[in-house]
Amino acid sequence: QHLLTIGDVIMKADELRQKTSDELVEALNAELKEQFKLRMQKSSGEFNQTHLLKLSRRNVAKIKTVMTEKTGA
């Protein structure tokens, strides 16, 4: 399963396109949970790697884009 981790933060659109709709929903939920954890760590002051927030936002956007492609286009 391809979820956001510190060592592997960038999701590839090609990899996402190979997933089923259920897998995309699962990946989106996992990414949103990870994003929430990162935001909480940042707000409490114990988080130095703020670039991970940007990557997480981009991953969410990629997942949503692929989901839209699969449903509409």
Side-chain angles (χ1 to χ4, degrees), residues 3-63:
L3 302 175
L4 176 73
T5 60
I6 299 300
D8 191 18
V9 292
I10 301 171
M11 292 182 153
K12 304 270 186 204
D14 292 336
E15 293 173 7
L16 291 172
R17 285 187 182 98
Q18 295 172 359
K19 294 182 181 266
T20 65
S21 295
D22 291 338
E23 290 173 331
L24 287 172
V25 170
E26 186 178 314
L28 179 61
N29 288 335
E31 193 68 40
L32 290 172
K33 285 180 186 176
E34 184 68 23
Q35 192 178 51
F36 178 77
K37 286 191 330 188
L38 293 173
R39 280 198 325 262
M40 290 301 110
Q41 288 177 359
K42 182 182 176 203
S43 67
S44 67
E46 62 184 59
F47 188 62
N48 299 352
Q49 299 173 319
T50 55
H51 68 283
L52 293 177
L53 285 168
K54 178 180 178 181
L55 292 175
S56 182
R57 280 195 314 271
R58 287 185 176 184
N59 284 339
V60 168
K62 285 179 189 177
I63 294 168

